Amino acid sequence: MKNADIKQLELMCELIETQSLSEAAARLGMTPSAASQSLSRLRATFGEEVYVRQGNAYRLTPHGEQVMGGVRAIVRHWNEALQASGDFDPSTCELRFAVACVAHTASPDLVRLHADMRRLAPRATLDFQVPLHNAVDVQSLRAGKLDVLCASAPPPPDMRDVHHELLCTHALTHVVLGRGHPRIGESMTLAQYLGEEHLVAHYRNLDPASRSPLDAALLAHGHAARRATYVQSLWTALHMVSRSDYLLTVSAEGARVLERYLSEVRSLPLPPDMPAVRSELHMIWHERTHRSRPHQWLRERLREVCAGTIQ
């Protein structure tokens, strides 16, 4: 492909994303007429159609599906280079950030993170993803499909092209249960806790050898491991707790959040003779964004919404 400039490529990306010529033009400070002429010239450089108009929609052709990934990468890297070349001003940032975060109940506060982004960087975009908790997440960091990964464990030490830090920890101090639980009243003993069935939001995999740290602590103190059903979706776990007799062990802040938004559940403190257990949240990012000022700013926002939760 010859004679295409970054502005034309960025315009095509905006057109496919917004599905509106006028909105794509407005985002780049162009008139719709000028944008249309620019896109016509760009389409001619590809040699065959990249997208077609279908009613009010712009659909990628098979050829367009092949080339758009590379086009988006070119535009993203160019914008990152521009943003990193001088003093960073979030109010002018137009990057699209992608964060994948394990589904903790309280921290990081993704709602606050998104609100801060809209207030401080209104022209930037922040997308949230669900991590897969395997090597694909790191591959996404390396490929630029993901900017920050928030996971319950650090990366393996042999992955030297990624950085990480402990973002926050949570003491597991409370149990969430249905309001009409038939066997547990206003308090709970350790025998009652161990006698009930539990749900474990287990994100990495369902291998019994990678058991919950809480069960490992119970075994280390001479107790039996809990009878537990493992689920990889916190949302599913919450629905099951609200409609059954299962128990879900969370942090104090997590319990407050769940009680605030789920009227069908209540919480109790764990028995005082329970072993102390903490869960961790690690922030992981790739070397390619390590020195990027916009990405440094994003990571600092994540630290802020988690501030005070490392205990």
Side-chain angles (χ1 to χ4, degrees):
M1 184 179 70
K2 299 179 180 180
N3 302 322
D5 60 40
I6 291 293
K7 188 94 169 182
Q8 288 175 313
L9 298 178
E10 189 173 17
L11 178 60
M12 185 170 69
C13 291
E14 294 288 356
L15 178 70
I16 299 303
E17 178 184 340
T18 63
Q19 293 292 297
S20 167
L21 177 63
S22 59
E23 184 174 348
R27 287 188 177 189
L28 298 184
M30 305 173 67
T31 66
S33 176
S36 179
Q37 294 176 30
S38 179
L39 287 170
S40 294
R41 292 192 297 271
L42 177 63
R43 293 168 72 185
T45 67
F46 278 99
E48 57 182 287
E49 292 291 353
V50 177
Y51 63 87
V52 294
R53 180 80 178 267
Q54 293 181 352
N56 293 324
Y58 296 87
R59 305 298 186 196
L60 291 174
T61 65
H63 178 61
E65 295 284 357
Q66 290 182 328
V67 304
M68 276 306 294
V71 170
R72 291 188 178 104
I74 292 170
V75 171
R76 182 180 69 250
H77 291 317
W78 176 253
N79 284 331
E80 288 176 357
L82 287 179
Q83 296 286 350
S85 63
D87 293 335
F88 176 61
D89 180 1
S91 67
T92 64
C93 177
E94 297 183 352
L95 296 182
R96 187 175 209 107
F97 299 103
V99 174
C101 186
V102 66
H104 278 273
T105 54
S107 185
D109 186 342
L110 297 181
V111 174
R112 178 187 161 193
L113 177 65
H114 197 269
D116 286 350
M117 178 70 72
R118 294 183 68 183
R119 177 173 55 86
L120 299 172
R123 297 162 67 179
T125 305
L126 177 61
D127 296 329
F128 293 124
Q129 301 179 18
V130 177
L132 297 176
H133 312 287
N134 56 35
V136 175
D137 291 327
V138 175
Q139 292 171 7
S140 296
L141 288 171
R142 288 170 173 157
K145 298 177 181 178
L146 192 60
D147 296 302
V148 178
L149 169 65
C150 296
S152 54
D158 61 343
M159 290 185 176
R160 298 183 179 179
D161 59 337
V162 298
H163 301 260
H164 89 279
E165 66 181 69
L166 180 62
L167 196 57
C168 56
T169 68
H170 306 83
L172 301 179
T173 60
H174 283 68
V175 161
V176 173
L177 66 163
R179 289 197 171 276
H181 198 288
R183 291 175 296 280
I184 297 179
E186 298 303 314
S187 63
M188 179 176 50
T189 66
L190 180 55
Q192 285 179 304
Y193 180 84
L194 295 176
E196 294 294 331
E197 292 192 70
H198 296 255
L199 289 175
V200 178
H202 197 274
Y203 306 112
R204 300 183 70 183
N205 54 58
L206 299 182
D207 182 358
S210 180
R211 67 171 72 249
S212 160
L214 197 154
D215 288 311
L218 286 170
L219 290 170
H221 285 75
H223 303 292
R226 299 169 298 170
R227 290 182 297 142
T229 295
Y230 285 70
V231 294
Q232 290 183 307
S233 165
L234 178 62
W235 185 249
T236 299
L238 295 175
H239 272 277
M240 293 176 70
V241 166
S242 67
R243 298 168 61 183
S244 68
D245 298 344
Y246 285 108
L247 306 183
L248 180 66
T249 305
V250 298
S251 67
E253 179 61 21
R256 285 193 289 270
V257 169
L258 295 180
E259 283 192 287
R260 186 184 310 145
Y261 293 109
L262 293 174
S263 60
E264 301 92 344
V265 303
R266 60 190 174 103
S267 69
L268 291 173
L270 287 174
D273 46 350
M274 276 282 293
V277 178
R278 310 188 73 83
S279 66
E280 297 181 343
L281 190 66
H282 295 260
M283 181 165 64
I284 305 169
W285 64 96
H286 191 258
E287 173 64 27
R288 70 177 181 84
T289 63
H290 185 59
R291 294 173 180 81
S292 166
R293 295 183 185 180
H295 292 86
Q296 290 174 345
W297 179 81
L298 172 66
R299 295 193 293 270
E300 187 57 34
R301 302 288 75 72
L302 271 164
R303 294 184 188 102
E304 286 185 359
V305 298
C306 289
T309 56
I310 296 182
Q311 303 171 357

